[in-house]
Amino acid sequence: MNVELSFISGPKNVFSLFRQSRKFSAKASVMIAIDRLFGTPKHLVPSFYDHDDTGYDGKPDSGSRDVAPHLRIHHTVHVQVIKYLSGSGLKPMTNKLMENIAKTMLSSGIGGVWLEMEDLFDFCKLKLLHASINSMFGEYLTALHPDFVDDYWKFDDCTTTLVKGFPSFMVPRSWAARRKCLDSLKHWKAYVEKLVDADGRTFYEGLDPHFGSQFIRQRHEGFNKMEPMNADSIASEDLAIMWAANSNAIPAAYWFLYEIFRDPELLGRVRSEVDGARTNAHEPDAPPRFDLEALIKSPLLQSIYAETLRLQTAILIARMPAREDYQLGDYSFKKDRLLVAASYIAHHDTKVWNQGTVDDPHPLNQFWAERFLLKTGSDHSGPLLQSYLDSAMEDSAVQPEVKYSTDGLAGAWVPYGGGQSLCPGRHYAKQEMLMTFAIMSTCFDIEILQEPGEVTLPDLGYFGLGVLPPKNIPEGFGG
Ligand code: HEM
């Protein structure tokens, strides 16, 4: 509502937004999100978040305001997400996540007898969110507020309404759903801070016994030092990172499962890769554990992962020319005008993507597990249309072999955005998707009860916000 956008399309144009990311600010979408989605106290949006124009880098952007180092909110948050969501900083959290998902599956009450379940997505939402919150935020939040997982998904259902910026008297249910989550987070923070005080504010390597992870502990340490921040704005930050970490990754993990389990031939191939990566096969009754490196190296699993995100991600990646007008080819965009690249458009570009052959077609609105596999001796494999590949790769010698390939996809496969704001949670998301499938396919046999040719479609009502959830078909309409 009341925001003018210019859409940028075509891989070269989209990539130029990422390549020249220092000319742009991604702050505009952050402002919309913290204000409209996460309910940050109104007065802090202009006076604190918008006031800080110093950017993400260690050195404040030239010409920016004089902001005290500990009040550089965007830089502080950025440094922490990079530190704790990649490399060795991430490992303790992903190991904990694997343990939690495996435990929650084994204690789900599903045993050796077939049972019919109404909705696989609901099952994933409840089980995965519980496991994920307990890995990142520790166990006190869901212990103090046993309804939190339900409350979170009620809030998530309202995000399409909240992002439009309607006032509370017009959409009171949406505001109330958010309020409930924020109140629980406020109460949790106060409780956990008392435990940290009682523990002499000791720091622990890897996981934190009170805040769950070093990631969340360090965020709170940073927020506590920022004078303008208060309990309400910190709760909004918690809700924001929880949303970033779960509202895309959990629907993506669901689609990954759905596409494999509805194709028995594919399931057979993938299961043998999963079995090979299990590290505790000698303990058949224990929660399964996997070598994540081995899972991540599987070309087929990687291709399924990339194709899942290609098909189901509909995110609007927003940038604003920060200090001067921006020239893109023949077009000039005014400073402070919002430019947007839509991943869904990029991912369905028939001028770019390989759609198979006349005899073996794979249209872009359908899942193709092998779209990202490049095979020796096949002119028709890999993600790209041959004619596009020839022009995109003119400067480099392509060595075809059997492998997972994203070569030449700059600006074309963009589920995680790009440039300086490239999603820092992408490693965590990939590991979560792969480990969820590995654990669930080891713990359970799943049969998707659909007629041949019947397909679950994404809910385009969520267009723009990220990975689309499956569309809920009303009873009596099949599905
Ligand atoms: C399939 C899952 C995910 C998708 C599709 C996704 C997508 C995105 C996109 C498109 C952006 C904006 C990038 C840009 O503006 O160029 C973003 C930013 C971000 N994502 Fe993700 N994300 C996913 C999972 C995660 C996870 C699991 C986490 C955390 C654990 C996370 C944390 C973040 C954060 C903190 C940012 C803001 C980065 C910044 O502005 O510095 N994301 N994500």
Side-chain angles (χ1 to χ4, degrees):
M1 214 157 64
N2 302 329
V3 181
E4 278 189 35
L5 316 170
S6 298
F7 279 86
I8 305 290
S9 63
K12 282 191 181 136
N13 296 333
V14 171
F15 186 55
S16 72
L17 287 190
F18 299 153
R19 205 183 44 218
Q20 304 179 56
S21 62
R22 280 185 166 67
K23 286 191 177 167
F24 297 102
S25 161
K27 212 171 76 175
S29 46
V30 175
M31 289 302 121
I32 292 174
I34 57 162
D35 179 17
R36 297 180 178 187
L37 277 184
F38 306 117
T40 298
K42 286 281 176 217
H43 70 282
L44 285 184
V45 178
S47 68
F48 180 56
Y49 283 93
D50 204 21
H51 179 77
D52 174 16
D53 62 350
T54 61
Y56 284 169
D57 288 340
K59 192 164 160 266
D61 289 354
S62 67
S64 60
R65 297 189 182 100
D66 186 15
V67 177
H70 74 287
L71 295 182
R72 294 187 60 208
I73 176 79
H74 306 294
H75 164 69
T76 307
V77 166
H78 183 71
V79 168
Q80 285 169 352
V81 292
I82 301 296
K83 179 167 178 191
Y84 292 107
L85 294 179
S86 52
S88 56
L90 178 60
K91 227 169 177 177
M93 224 157 51
T94 42
N95 284 340
K96 188 72 189 164
L97 182 64
M98 179 152 53
E99 182 189 320
N100 284 348
I101 296 177
K103 278 192 190 152
T104 194
M105 292 305 163
L106 284 187
S107 62
S108 63
I110 301 173
V113 182
W114 279 103
L115 65 90
E116 214 165 287
M117 215 176 253
E118 189 83 354
D119 189 335
L120 177 62
F121 185 48
D122 258 356
F123 180 79
C124 290
K125 276 167 49 176
L126 298 182
K127 298 294 175 199
L128 296 182
L129 183 62
H130 196 272
S132 160
I133 288 178
N134 284 7
S135 317
M136 197 177 270
F137 286 79
E139 307 208 337
Y140 290 110
L141 179 57
T142 52
L144 291 167
H145 297 281
D147 293 337
F148 189 84
V149 168
D150 278 333
D151 293 342
Y152 175 87
W153 288 117
K154 283 184 192 139
F155 154 73
D156 186 80
D157 277 348
C158 300
T159 48
T160 50
T161 309
L162 290 168
V163 79
K164 294 185 182 112
F166 293 118
S168 65
F169 71 87
M170 286 174 76
V171 288
R173 261 186 346 109
S174 300
W175 280 61
R178 178 174 65 200
R179 187 71 264 152
K180 186 120 196 280
C181 291
L182 291 174
D183 286 346
S184 301
L185 285 163
K186 253 167 81 173
H187 174 235
W188 162 79
K189 150 102 170 154
Y191 184 89
V192 171
E193 286 287 359
K194 281 192 194 137
L195 296 178
V196 176
D197 281 341
D199 194 16
R201 303 208 72 85
T202 311
F203 281 102
Y204 297 84
E205 284 294 313
L207 300 174
D208 184 276
H210 314 296
F211 274 102
S213 60
Q214 268 309 314
F215 176 47
I216 296 300
R217 169 79 188 267
Q218 293 298 343
R219 278 170 63 87
H220 280 260
E221 292 293 327
F223 296 147
N224 290 346
K225 290 187 195 119
M226 298 175 178
E227 297 85 359
M229 289 290 251
N230 58 24
D232 287 306
S233 62
I234 294 177
S236 293
E237 283 281 358
D238 282 330
L239 189 58
I241 195 66
M242 197 178 275
W243 183 80
N246 296 293
S247 288
N248 289 315
I250 292 177
Y254 157 80
W255 287 115
F256 193 97
L257 286 172
Y258 168 76
E259 293 294 357
I260 300 177
F261 275 109
R262 76 194 191 94
D263 180 344
E265 193 269 330
L266 179 63
L267 175 63
R269 287 165 65 199
V270 175
R271 255 199 172 135
S272 64
E273 310 230 358
V274 164
D275 291 346
R278 185 160 179 195
T279 54
N280 65 341
H282 56 285
E283 305 171 282
D285 297 329
R289 283 197 306 274
F290 298 90
D291 176 352
L292 284 175
E293 290 299 313
L295 279 181
I296 282 169
K297 275 195 198 129
S298 154
L300 181 56
L301 283 171
Q302 294 197 77
S303 180
I304 295 170
Y305 153 79
E307 173 69 349
T308 301
L309 293 186
R310 182 199 65 78
L311 187 58
Q312 307 297 3
T313 310
I315 200 151
L316 297 179
I317 303 156
R319 296 289 184 275
M320 201 178 251
R323 309 211 182 275
E324 52 193 41
D325 295 353
Y326 175 64
Q327 192 71 30
L328 180 63
D330 294 339
Y331 294 87
S332 178
F333 297 95
K334 290 260 170 276
K335 173 175 147 352
D336 295 341
R337 172 142 192 138
L338 207 51
L339 309 184
V340 172
S343 65
Y344 197 83
I345 310 292
H347 293 175
H348 290 78
D349 188 339
T350 52
K351 292 196 283 310
V352 171
W353 292 90
N354 182 5
Q355 299 192 67
T357 60
V358 175
D359 297 332
D360 183 22
H362 294 284
L364 294 175
N365 61 355
Q366 288 175 19
F367 179 83
W368 179 22
E370 298 193 0
R371 198 179 307 269
F372 289 76
L373 289 186
L374 201 55
K375 294 180 188 166
T376 314
S378 167
D379 285 347
H380 304 295
S381 68
L384 292 169
L385 204 60
Q386 196 59 41
S387 56
Y388 180 78
L389 179 68
D390 291 343
S391 67
M393 303 295 290
E394 56 199 353
D395 295 334
S396 65
V398 187
Q399 299 289 336
E401 53 179 295
V402 179
K403 61 168 189 172
Y404 162 71
S405 172
T406 53
D407 290 350
L409 283 179
W413 186 76
V414 290
Y416 295 119
Q420 215 187 9
S421 303
L422 174 69
C423 171
R426 62 197 183 283
H427 311 290
Y428 189 76
K430 184 174 186 179
Q431 295 182 28
E432 181 170 354
M433 288 167 72
L434 267 58
M435 74 169 77
T436 300
F437 172 75
I439 292 167
M440 286 184 70
S441 64
T442 303
C443 294
F444 309 130
D445 284 316
I446 299 176
E447 201 181 310
I448 306 279
L449 294 179
Q450 284 184 317
E451 300 299 325
E454 192 184 342
V455 181
T456 301
L457 295 172
D459 186 347
L460 290 169
Y462 284 74
F463 194 97
L465 285 175
V467 178
L468 299 169
K471 195 174 165 79
N472 208 358
I473 299 172
E475 260 176 55
F477 288 84

